[in-house]
Amino acid sequence: RTALLSLTAAKEALADASIENLSGFRTGFVSANTVGGMDKTEEFFKEFIFNPAKGKLRNIVHHECGSITELVADRLGINQFMTTISTACSSSANAIIFAARMIKHGMLDVAVAGGVDALTRFTLNGFNTLMILDQDPCKPFDEHRKGLNIGEGAGYVVLVSERVLKQMNKPAYCLLSGYCNANDAYHQTASSPEGKGPYLAMQGALQQSGLAPSAINYINLHGTGTQNNDIAEGTAIKKLFDPLYPAMSSTKSFTGHTLGASGSMEAVFSALAVQQGFIYPNLRFETAMKELPFIPQTVFLAHQPVEHALSNSFGFGGNCSSLIFSKV
């Protein structure tokens, strides 16, 4: 299932890019996931644990994360460069960062970058053990938030060099103007209460882009709906943006938390926010968090002057990444 989701989204991204012939370019596939082929492995163990002579071994051949990338790259016909990134919930944001750096340093001309994750029993049980699942639809950044919802999906962007862009028949959606990965090294599964990792990631992305915080028009929040994540991210935003806060929302209120795919799915939302002037609503928000002086956007807005959008992705182990998308 992970490979099928990945292949579908990657093919859609390439078709949308309208690059007629990739053969003349150094092309890479940088893909992220956290579960690999675990959905099939779980099917294997249903029989194996009762009888070690049972279970279909073909179900575990593609268990590891890199196998999914290889399967999809082969189907896409990309064989010059491929790699897999797995850094929990910042995985696909880091895939985009890595691909952008390779293009910047002249190692690739075109990169299909993003990530995928499919639902598995292991993931659901793991988050349930942490007691951070909301049995109802999640409400990020609400005072009465109870946790996250697990989702599944895939998202990819096609990054190109300036040379390739000049040869394309289609204008770019936007420019990836800044990015940063940071780590607060605070806890295996929790963000630091003062939001050190999120702060460093957002600050670093702004510095690379050359933008002041006041230039950001929209923030796509990591916004999982857990007590720890939302207060940590909100504290970092307060420290960096106070007193002028841009519009912001968590699109996980629509998609659920898609784990390794969330960063790239939200990168797509952010790119569309810049291109189309979209400001997305934060579903089910009712009560402001008492610790924060701002609230998320609650109504969908179109035709807004979104010159720069910031997208946050923060993962277990303190691995925090921020991307900035700007009008071309």
Side-chain angles (χ1 to χ4, degrees):
R1 186 170 182 80
T2 312
L4 290 170
L5 285 167
S6 175
L7 179 62
T8 300
K11 288 174 69 174
E12 288 179 354
L14 275 170
D16 183 69
S18 300
I19 300 176
E20 294 181 359
N21 187 3
L22 287 173
S23 62
F25 303 121
R26 294 167 299 170
T27 303
F29 183 53
V30 184
S31 188
N33 71 85
T34 67
V35 303
M38 197 181 295
D39 59 322
K40 300 299 291 182
T41 306
E42 289 175 341
E43 292 300 311
F44 167 80
F45 274 104
K46 280 190 342 185
E47 297 182 76
F48 179 79
I49 58 175
F50 293 106
N51 183 349
K54 296 281 188 177
K56 299 175 182 177
L57 289 175
R58 66 172 178 267
N59 283 342
I60 60 173
V61 171
H62 300 298
H63 172 83
E64 54 95 16
C65 294
S67 181
I68 303 302
T69 304
E70 293 173 8
L71 285 169
V72 177
D74 286 346
R75 292 294 296 269
L76 295 175
I78 298 175
N79 53 27
Q80 292 172 299
F81 179 83
M82 73 183 83
T83 193
T84 305
I85 291 180
S86 189
T87 56
C89 304
S90 61
S91 297
S92 52
N94 286 333
I96 292 171
I97 291 174
F98 186 70
R101 292 181 65 194
M102 292 195 72
I103 290 175
K104 179 180 179 180
H105 292 285
M107 302 171 72
L108 290 175
D109 301 311
V110 178
V112 181
V116 57
D117 259 333
L119 286 170
T120 65
R121 295 179 183 88
F122 178 87
T123 305
L124 284 167
N125 290 336
F127 278 93
N128 193 45
T129 300
L130 291 172
M131 295 184 289
I132 55 174
L133 286 183
D134 191 342
Q135 300 304 313
D136 298 314
C138 65
K139 45 199 306 183
F141 275 78
D142 190 280
E143 174 67 17
H144 304 297
R145 64 199 183 279
K146 298 177 182 177
L148 55 83
N149 304 142
I150 299 294
E152 66 176 359
Y156 289 90
V157 297
V158 178
L159 302 173
V160 301
S161 67
E162 290 185 17
R163 179 177 68 87
V164 174
L165 182 60
K166 292 176 182 178
Q167 300 176 42
M168 293 176 61
N169 297 321
K170 182 177 181 178
Y173 279 76
C174 57
L175 171 71
L176 178 61
S177 61
Y179 46 80
C180 181
N181 171 255
N183 197 308
D184 59 23
Y186 172 75
H187 189 270
Q188 287 179 320
T189 61
S191 298
S192 59
E194 68 273 19
K196 184 176 181 180
Y199 176 81
L200 290 173
M202 289 187 288
Q203 182 188 51
L206 284 166
Q207 287 177 345
Q208 189 189 57
S209 67
L211 296 172
S214 58
I216 300 298
N217 307 111
Y218 171 66
I219 301 175
N220 188 295
L221 299 163
H222 184 57
T224 61
T226 65
Q227 291 290 325
N228 172 257
N229 175 89
D230 290 2
I231 187 61
E233 184 175 11
T235 300
I237 289 171
K238 178 182 177 181
K239 182 177 179 181
L240 192 58
F241 288 91
D242 189 67
L244 301 175
Y245 297 101
M248 64 186 86
S249 63
S250 170
T251 48
K252 289 182 178 68
S253 60
F254 289 88
T255 66
H257 192 352
T258 55
L259 308 179
S262 61
S264 54
M265 288 174 61
E266 290 158 24
V268 173
F269 295 147
S270 299
L272 288 171
V274 171
Q275 187 211 33
Q276 301 286 342
F278 290 160
I279 300 292
Y280 308 101
N282 199 104
L283 294 182
R284 293 175 291 279
F285 176 84
E286 295 176 342
T287 307
M289 291 172 57
K290 61 180 180 295
E291 300 91 346
L292 303 178
F294 59 84
I295 61 173
Q297 177 69 27
T298 58
V299 178
F300 176 76
L301 299 175
H303 311 298
Q304 301 299 300
V306 182
E307 297 288 329
H308 307 283
L310 171 69
S311 183
N312 287 334
S313 300
F314 309 138
F316 283 173
N319 198 301
C320 300
S321 294
S322 294
L323 309 173
I324 295 176
F325 299 91
S326 302
K327 276 196 179 297
V328 179

